[in-house]
Amino acid sequence: MAMTPVSPPLDSMGLDSHFLEEVAVIIKVLGHPDRIRIVEYIGVSELNVSDIQKHISLTQPVTSQHLRLMKDRGILKSRRDGTCVYYSLATPLVHKMLACLAETQRQMYE
């Protein structure tokens, strides 16, 4: 009988409990496809609400709600330049998570 390999418990991977809490917050907030699309579009650049809203094809109020939630949870940071507010990723963790998702998608659908 063949045995299926069992993944080691998280504790043996050395994942810190504080880190896991931080990741859990990010995963919860990014649990909406539009929010994932927003952070993917922002990537490593800095974009204003109007650019994001047009690219994602959402209304301005909906886009602003998503951006505000992600900023409040520490996923995005913002800066104001006159009347424009520019958003960028606040943590490299999100960029790494997106890269992991892209790699997984390539592996699953090749």
Side-chain angles (χ1 to χ4, degrees), residues 58-93:
L58 296 173
T59 64
Q60 188 276 328
V62 171
T63 303
S64 292
Q65 284 180 334
H66 287 310
L67 293 168
R68 186 172 30 261
L69 175 66
M70 290 189 286
K71 182 180 177 212
D72 290 347
R73 298 301 192 282
I75 294 169
L76 298 178
K77 59 185 176 182
S78 67
R79 77 171 176 86
R80 182 173 292 278
D81 184 11
T83 59
C84 285
V85 178
Y86 292 88
Y87 289 89
S88 59
L89 295 180
T91 172
L93 180 57

Coordinates of all heavy atoms in Angstrom, one line a residue, residues 58-93:
L58 N -14.2 49.3 -11.9 CA -15.1 49.5 -10.8 C -15.5 50.9 -10.7 O -14.8 51.8 -11.2 CB -14.5 49.0 -9.5 CG -14.1 47.6 -9.3 CD1 -13.3 47.3 -8.1 CD2 -15.3 46.7 -9.3
T59 N -16.6 51.2 -10.0 CA -17.0 52.6 -9.7 C -16.0 53.2 -8.8 O -15.3 52.5 -8.0 CB -18.4 52.7 -9.1 OG1 -18.4 52.1 -7.9 CG2 -19.4 52.1 -10.1
Q60 N -15.9 54.5 -8.8 CA -15.0 55.2 -7.9 C -15.3 55.0 -6.4 O -14.4 54.7 -5.7 CB -15.0 56.7 -8.2 CG -13.9 57.5 -7.5 CD -14.3 57.9 -6.1 OE1 -15.5 58.2 -5.8 NE2 -13.3 58.0 -5.2
P61 N -16.6 55.0 -6.0 CA -16.8 54.7 -4.6 C -16.4 53.3 -4.1 O -15.9 53.1 -3.1 CB -18.4 54.9 -4.4 CG -18.7 55.8 -5.6 CD -17.8 55.5 -6.7
V62 N -16.7 52.3 -5.0 CA -16.3 50.9 -4.7 C -14.8 50.8 -4.6 O -14.3 50.2 -3.7 CB -17.0 49.9 -5.7 CG1 -16.4 48.5 -5.5 CG2 -18.5 49.9 -5.5
T63 N -14.1 51.4 -5.6 CA -12.7 51.3 -5.6 C -12.1 52.0 -4.3 O -11.2 51.4 -3.6 CB -12.1 52.0 -6.8 OG1 -12.6 51.4 -8.0 CG2 -10.6 52.0 -6.9
S64 N -12.6 53.1 -4.0 CA -12.2 53.8 -2.8 C -12.4 53.0 -1.5 O -11.6 53.0 -0.6 CB -12.9 55.2 -2.6 OG -12.4 56.1 -3.7
Q65 N -13.6 52.3 -1.4 CA -13.8 51.5 -0.2 C -12.8 50.4 -0.1 O -12.3 50.1 1.0 CB -15.2 50.9 -0.3 CG -16.4 51.8 0.0 CD -17.7 51.1 -0.2 OE1 -17.9 50.1 -0.9 NE2 -18.7 51.6 0.6
H66 N -12.5 49.7 -1.2 CA -11.5 48.7 -1.2 C -10.1 49.2 -0.8 O -9.4 48.6 0.0 CB -11.4 48.0 -2.6 CG -12.5 47.1 -2.9 ND1 -13.0 46.1 -2.1 CD2 -13.2 47.0 -4.1 CE1 -14.0 45.5 -2.7 NE2 -14.2 46.0 -3.9
L67 N -9.7 50.3 -1.4 CA -8.5 51.0 -1.1 C -8.4 51.4 0.4 O -7.4 51.1 1.1 CB -8.2 52.2 -2.0 CG -8.0 51.9 -3.4 CD1 -8.1 53.1 -4.3 CD2 -6.7 51.1 -3.7
R68 N -9.4 51.9 0.9 CA -9.4 52.4 2.3 C -9.3 51.2 3.3 O -8.5 51.2 4.2 CB -10.7 53.2 2.6 CG -10.8 53.8 4.0 CD -12.0 54.7 4.3 NE -13.2 54.4 3.5 CZ -13.6 55.1 2.4 NH1 -12.8 56.0 1.9 NH2 -14.7 54.7 1.8
L69 N -10.0 50.1 3.0 CA -9.9 48.9 3.8 C -8.5 48.4 3.8 O -7.9 48.0 4.9 CB -10.9 47.8 3.4 CG -10.8 46.5 4.1 CD1 -11.2 46.6 5.5 CD2 -11.7 45.4 3.4
M70 N -7.9 48.3 2.6 CA -6.6 47.7 2.5 C -5.5 48.6 3.2 O -4.6 48.2 3.8 CB -6.2 47.4 1.1 CG -7.0 46.2 0.5 SD -6.4 45.7 -1.1 CE -7.1 47.0 -2.2
K71 N -5.8 49.9 3.1 CA -4.9 50.9 3.8 C -5.0 50.7 5.3 O -4.0 50.7 6.0 CB -5.2 52.3 3.4 CG -4.2 53.3 4.0 CD -4.5 54.7 3.6 CE -3.6 55.6 4.4 NZ -4.1 56.9 4.6
D72 N -6.2 50.7 5.8 CA -6.5 50.5 7.2 C -5.9 49.2 7.8 O -5.5 49.2 9.0 CB -8.0 50.5 7.5 CG -8.6 51.9 7.3 OD1 -7.9 52.9 7.2 OD2 -9.9 51.9 7.3
R73 N -5.8 48.2 7.0 CA -5.2 46.9 7.4 C -3.7 46.8 7.2 O -3.1 45.8 7.4 CB -5.9 45.7 6.8 CG -7.4 45.6 7.1 CD -7.7 45.5 8.6 NE -9.0 45.1 8.9 CZ -10.1 45.9 8.8 NH1 -10.0 47.1 8.5 NH2 -11.3 45.4 9.1
G74 N -3.1 47.9 6.7 CA -1.6 47.9 6.5 C -1.1 47.2 5.2 O 0.1 47.0 5.1
I75 N -2.0 47.0 4.3 CA -1.6 46.3 3.0 C -1.2 47.4 2.0 O -0.2 47.2 1.3 CB -2.8 45.5 2.4 CG1 -3.1 44.3 3.4 CG2 -2.5 45.1 1.0 CD1 -4.4 43.6 3.0
L76 N -1.8 48.5 2.1 CA -1.4 49.7 1.2 C -1.0 50.8 2.0 O -1.4 51.0 3.2 CB -2.6 50.1 0.3 CG -3.2 49.1 -0.7 CD1 -4.4 49.6 -1.4 CD2 -2.1 48.6 -1.6
K77 N -0.2 51.7 1.4 CA 0.1 53.0 2.0 C -0.3 54.1 1.0 O -0.5 53.7 -0.2 CB 1.5 53.1 2.4 CG 2.5 52.9 1.3 CD 3.9 53.0 1.8 CE 4.9 52.7 0.7 NZ 6.3 52.6 1.1
S78 N -0.5 55.3 1.4 CA -0.9 56.3 0.5 C -0.1 57.6 0.8 O 0.4 57.8 1.8 CB -2.4 56.6 0.6 OG -2.7 57.2 1.9
R79 N -0.1 58.4 -0.3 CA 0.4 59.8 -0.1 C -0.4 60.7 -1.0 O -0.9 60.3 -2.0 CB 1.9 59.8 -0.5 CG 2.2 59.9 -2.0 CD 3.6 60.2 -2.3 NE 3.8 60.0 -3.7 CZ 3.5 61.0 -4.6 NH1 3.2 62.2 -4.2 NH2 3.7 60.8 -5.9
R80 N -0.6 61.9 -0.5 CA -1.4 62.9 -1.2 C -0.5 63.9 -1.9 O 0.6 64.3 -1.4 CB -2.2 63.7 -0.2 CG -3.2 64.7 -0.8 CD -4.1 65.3 0.2 NE -5.1 64.3 0.7 CZ -6.2 64.0 0.1 NH1 -6.5 64.5 -1.0 NH2 -7.0 63.1 0.6
D81 N -0.9 64.2 -3.1 CA -0.2 65.2 -3.9 C -1.2 66.1 -4.5 O -1.9 65.8 -5.5 CB 0.6 64.5 -5.1 CG 1.4 65.5 -5.9 OD1 1.6 66.7 -5.4 OD2 2.0 65.1 -6.9
G82 N -1.5 67.2 -3.8 CA -2.6 68.1 -4.2 C -3.9 67.4 -3.9 O -4.2 67.0 -2.8
T83 N -4.7 67.3 -5.0 CA -6.0 66.6 -4.8 C -5.9 65.1 -5.1 O -6.9 64.4 -4.8 CB -7.1 67.2 -5.7 OG1 -6.6 67.1 -7.1 CG2 -7.3 68.7 -5.4
C84 N -4.8 64.6 -5.6 CA -4.7 63.2 -5.9 C -4.1 62.4 -4.7 O -3.2 62.9 -4.0 CB -3.8 63.0 -7.1 SG -4.6 63.4 -8.6
V85 N -4.6 61.2 -4.5 CA -4.1 60.3 -3.5 C -3.5 59.1 -4.3 O -4.1 58.5 -5.1 CB -5.2 59.8 -2.5 CG1 -4.6 58.8 -1.6 CG2 -5.8 61.0 -1.8
Y86 N -2.2 58.8 -4.0 CA -1.5 57.7 -4.6 C -1.3 56.6 -3.7 O -1.0 56.8 -2.5 CB -0.1 58.2 -5.1 CG -0.3 59.2 -6.3 CD1 -0.4 60.6 -6.0 CD2 -0.2 58.8 -7.6 CE1 -0.5 61.5 -7.1 CE2 -0.4 59.7 -8.6 CZ -0.5 61.0 -8.4 OH -0.6 61.9 -9.4
Y87 N -1.6 55.4 -4.2 CA -1.5 54.2 -3.3 C -0.3 53.3 -3.8 O -0.1 53.2 -5.0 CB -2.8 53.4 -3.4 CG -3.9 54.0 -2.6 CD1 -4.7 55.0 -3.3 CD2 -4.1 53.8 -1.3 CE1 -5.7 55.6 -2.6 CE2 -5.1 54.4 -0.6 CZ -5.9 55.3 -1.2 OH -6.9 55.9 -0.6
S88 N 0.3 52.6 -2.9 CA 1.4 51.6 -3.2 C 1.3 50.6 -2.1 O 0.7 50.7 -1.1 CB 2.7 52.3 -3.2 OG 3.0 52.9 -2.0
L89 N 2.0 49.4 -2.4 CA 2.0 48.4 -1.4 C 2.8 48.8 -0.2 O 3.9 49.4 -0.3 CB 2.6 47.1 -2.0 CG 1.8 46.5 -3.2 CD1 2.6 45.2 -3.7 CD2 0.4 46.1 -2.8
A90 N 2.3 48.5 1.0 CA 3.0 48.8 2.2 C 3.9 47.8 2.7 O 4.8 48.1 3.6 CB 1.9 49.1 3.3
T91 N 3.8 46.6 2.2 CA 4.7 45.5 2.6 C 5.1 44.6 1.5 O 4.3 44.3 0.6 CB 3.9 44.6 3.7 OG1 4.7 43.5 4.0 CG2 2.6 44.2 3.3
P92 N 6.3 44.2 1.4 CA 6.8 43.3 0.4 C 6.1 41.9 0.4 O 6.1 41.2 -0.5 CB 8.3 43.2 0.6 CG 8.5 43.6 2.0 CD 7.4 44.5 2.4
L93 N 5.5 41.6 1.6 CA 4.8 40.3 1.7 C 3.7 40.1 0.7 O 3.6 39.0 0.1 CB 4.3 40.2 3.2 CG 3.5 39.0 3.5 CD1 4.4 37.7 3.3 CD2 3.1 39.0 4.9

